[in-house]
Amino acid sequence: MAEPEYGRLMLESEIPAFVDAVIEAGCDICAIGHDSYVLGDLEEMDAAADELARIDEVFGDRDFLLLEIVAYLRSFGRYLEPGPSPGHWTENGKIH
């Protein structure tokens, strides 16, 4: 696997720490369905832009871990199913 432009590939074992860092930055990260996730809404991401940039530098490229990150988020209820009115991930009954 080729090294990304900024030099580091995130390890699968770092997924919990990555998710915790995003949450601590003030972003409501959650999986969308079974194959994507969002860091949070636009306002959260704007407010945490500097911290999210630092998180990117610390953890590196994670694109190839997309499905593993989604599975981790889903494992403790932090997900939404796509649909007309998805609600909020906290309605899944599990809270992290």
Side-chain angles (χ1 to χ4, degrees):
M1 184 176 292
E3 287 281 318
E5 285 182 32
Y6 45 89
R8 185 175 191 288
L9 296 175
M10 188 167 109
L11 302 173
E12 187 171 351
S13 62
E14 294 176 306
I15 291 172
F18 164 74
V19 169
D20 287 346
V22 172
I23 293 168
E24 289 171 15
C27 293
D28 199 15
I29 186 173
C30 71
I32 307 297
H34 290 274
D35 59 3
S36 62
Y37 71 93
V38 293
L39 295 177
D41 67 30
L42 291 177
E43 291 84 16
E44 292 169 347
M45 292 172 58
D46 279 347
D50 290 342
E51 184 62 14
L52 290 175
R54 188 195 68 75
I55 290 168
D56 279 344
E57 288 178 22
V58 168
F59 290 98
D61 181 29
R62 62 187 178 274
D63 291 346
F64 66 100
L65 292 173
L66 173 69
L67 297 179
E68 290 84 351
I69 294 169
V70 168
Y72 178 74
L73 291 167
R74 290 184 67 87
S75 75
F76 57 90
R78 207 174 250 276
Y79 67 91
L80 293 172
E81 293 298 343
S85 180
H88 193 269
W89 66 264
T90 56
E91 297 169 7
N92 295 324
K94 299 178 186 177
I95 303 223
H96 174 69

